[in-house]
Amino acid sequence: MSDEALDPAGSGGRADSAGRAGATSRKATRPTVARDDVVLEAVGLTKHFPLRGLRATGAVHAVDGIDLALRSGQVIALVGESGSGKSTVARLLARLYPQTAGTIRLHGEDVTAKRGAAFRRYARRVQMIFQDPFASLNPVHTVRYTLTRAVKIHKKGLSGAELEAALHALLERVQLNPDRFIDKFPHELSGGQRQRVAIARALAADPEVLLADEPISMLDVSIRIGILNLLQDLRDRLGIAILYITHDIASARYFADRTYVMYAGKPVEIGDSESVTQSPAHPYTQLLVRSAPDPEDLVSEERSGGRGEPPNMVNPPEGCRFSPRCPFATDVCRTATPPLLQIGTGRQVACWGYASRVDGGTDGLPASAELPELGDAAAPVTAATTTSEVTR
Ligand SMILES: Nc1ncnc2c1ncn2[C@@H]1O[C@H](COP(=O)(O)OP(=O)(O)OP(=O)(O)O)[C@@H](O)[C@H]1O
């Protein structure tokens, strides 16, 4: 089934009067935030999963000390290959896992110890959208049932015409025609339509933050852009802060305001998406960009790539975790962990190759003789600079 049944009017124009389910309750539950205000913040967020088994010792270092600030009306992309810790970051922010270390703050308030009603209040403000819309909707329930349940959890006491209006408003908000879709079962919907219903269910909570974990990767290529456009619309109209998790740096450029490139549980490059994708500074980002043959092409089935060893996350490499795969690595890269260095407005890179160029000199950084020679950050990556390729 195609997505042609979408309401082409987008219902966006009606959204403020009808499209926000329970607009009055929004006022009651949601603090007023200005566009670009920090809504959700992680500081030093870390997750180590202890190995299980009789003789097992150690832990998987899934996420190691990430700082992240999600702002109202902004999309941040977390990009990286499989196993780099992207989903774990989203699950930590959703409080589905306890963190090993670090703090999560909502509007500046530490939420890491919240339980019971306080946790439930947090959970409704920070909603997750999962990768697989086929698994995330119960096949025995209609769209009406699924959305009614979500609305009633978050807006107790709604019934009759008010409830019906709220359900219609939610479907309109995700650009599905309510009359056509409200009584459908999941098997009667396309993947894109199911993902829209899953997004509508998340919106029932009137969230301030959406954590979208690869929301398009399981969808037919022809409908991916439609879902990204919908999320963009929610960002713009409702000012929702969005964390967008993806393997695909090309879609990050299209969709995200800022991009964080993750490698082996750590961010290695951060900046506005245009700069990160057009002039990647970190050798790993260069490799990712290189593996996306056409940055304009959001609908490819697969990116090129194949060779290259992902790091051991139980005993991550010493120093820079990318050093075993990096064509520029020197001794310092293999022994000392590079900090995130400021390399321009809003841009940071964790690479010793930039240590001699950062503002404020090189105090505390290795002597320049020890540092790797990197090419111009803006220079295109060539085969000669690429010894391995990302696996996905
Ligand atoms: N519940 C868990 N228990 C143990 N290890 C886990 C658990 N969840 C994730 N990991 C490990 O943590 C590391 C990071 O996994 P994560 O799923 O966050 O990466 P990812 O970048 O999202 O990968 P993918 O794109 O494949 O989902 C991996 O080595 C993974 O095997």
Side-chain angles (χ1 to χ4, degrees):
M1 191 183 299
S2 79
D3 264 7
E4 67 203 339
L6 301 180
D7 171 6
S11 66
R14 285 167 284 164
D16 286 342
S17 56
R20 290 181 174 188
T24 46
S25 73
R26 169 181 293 276
K27 286 202 185 89
T29 58
R30 208 172 151 166
T32 309
V33 287
R35 191 78 27 146
D36 295 335
D37 276 0
V38 173
V39 180
L40 188 65
E41 195 178 8
V43 181
L45 199 58
T46 299
K47 182 67 183 176
H48 295 171
F49 293 104
L51 293 178
R52 292 177 194 276
L54 272 180
R55 297 199 189 140
T57 54
V60 177
H61 293 230
V63 176
D64 261 330
I66 184 169
D67 295 342
L68 192 74
L70 288 168
R71 293 172 185 274
S72 170
Q74 197 182 68
V75 178
I76 286 183
L78 270 192
V79 183
E81 65 193 353
S82 188
S84 56
K86 307 179 299 294
S87 295
T88 303
V89 170
R91 284 161 194 261
L92 287 168
L93 291 175
R95 312 286 298 121
L96 298 178
Y97 296 145
Q99 77 279 17
T100 306
T103 306
I104 299 169
R105 298 190 194 118
L106 184 67
H107 297 295
E109 187 190 0
D110 187 347
V111 298
T112 36
K114 292 214 183 290
R115 304 275 180 278
F119 168 74
R120 285 193 292 279
R121 274 197 298 279
Y122 175 80
R124 79 188 256 187
R125 290 200 194 159
V126 179
Q127 290 279 312
M128 240 183 124
I129 297 163
F130 295 94
Q131 180 178 28
D132 185 357
F134 297 87
S136 66
L137 296 179
N138 189 328
V140 303
H141 293 315
T142 60
V143 171
R144 178 190 296 282
Y145 180 96
T146 299
L147 294 185
T148 298
R149 200 159 167 267
V151 167
K152 285 195 159 183
I153 288 172
H154 301 294
K155 299 179 180 78
K156 291 188 174 43
L158 217 57
S159 62
E162 259 190 338
L163 174 62
E164 194 67 11
L167 301 182
H168 277 237
L170 281 172
L171 286 172
E172 285 175 353
R173 168 46 68 207
V174 296
Q175 298 162 14
L176 288 177
N177 182 330
D179 295 329
R180 186 157 174 195
F181 288 97
I182 197 160
D183 291 314
K184 297 265 193 222
F185 285 92
H187 73 266
E188 298 176 289
L189 305 175
S190 70
Q193 290 159 354
R194 286 183 204 201
Q195 194 60 294
R196 285 171 193 267
V197 173
I199 293 168
R201 180 177 54 188
L203 293 179
D206 201 14
E208 292 179 82
V209 178
L210 288 179
L211 306 169
D213 190 356
E214 304 214 36
I216 59 169
S217 62
M218 293 192 69
L219 302 181
D220 191 273
V221 292
S222 61
I223 54 181
R224 290 179 180 179
I225 287 179
I227 296 294
L228 291 186
N229 287 342
L230 169 64
L231 291 171
Q232 238 162 13
D233 181 64
L234 299 176
R235 174 198 69 181
D236 295 340
R237 288 179 189 275
L238 302 183
I240 293 179
I242 298 177
L243 183 69
Y244 170 60
I245 288 171
T246 182
H247 289 101
D248 186 358
I249 200 161
S251 71
R253 180 188 173 201
Y254 167 78
F255 176 50
D257 301 290
R258 290 180 65 70
T259 292
Y260 284 52
V261 180
M262 296 271 295
Y263 187 79
K266 287 170 175 270
V268 294
E269 182 163 358
I270 299 170
D272 66 278
S273 299
E274 186 69 15
S275 307
V276 169
T277 55
Q278 293 309 289
S279 55
H282 196 283
Y284 175 63
T285 317
Q286 294 175 4
L287 206 54
L288 278 185
V289 170
R290 183 175 172 75
S291 74
D294 179 359
E296 301 295 332
D297 176 10
L298 286 168
V299 296
S300 318
E301 283 286 7
E302 292 295 334
R303 301 294 174 195
S304 66
R307 287 179 295 123
E309 281 293 311
N312 178 336
M313 297 295 279
V314 178
N315 293 304
E318 289 278 304
C320 171
R321 292 181 177 181
F322 186 61
S323 61
R325 295 169 73 179
C326 181
F328 308 106
T330 62
D331 286 348
V332 68
C333 305
R334 288 183 272 270
T335 52
T337 303
L340 276 168
L341 302 165
Q342 202 77 33
I343 58 163
T345 311
R347 278 198 82 181
Q348 291 173 290
V349 62
C351 175
W352 286 126
Y354 293 87
S356 56
R357 308 182 199 174
V358 296
D359 296 342
T362 57
D363 287 354
L365 300 177
S368 57
E370 299 173 295
L371 297 173
E373 286 288 326
L374 280 192
D376 185 339
V381 183
T382 65
T385 65
T386 309
T387 53
S388 56
E389 289 183 330
V390 289
T391 51
R392 292 170 72 165

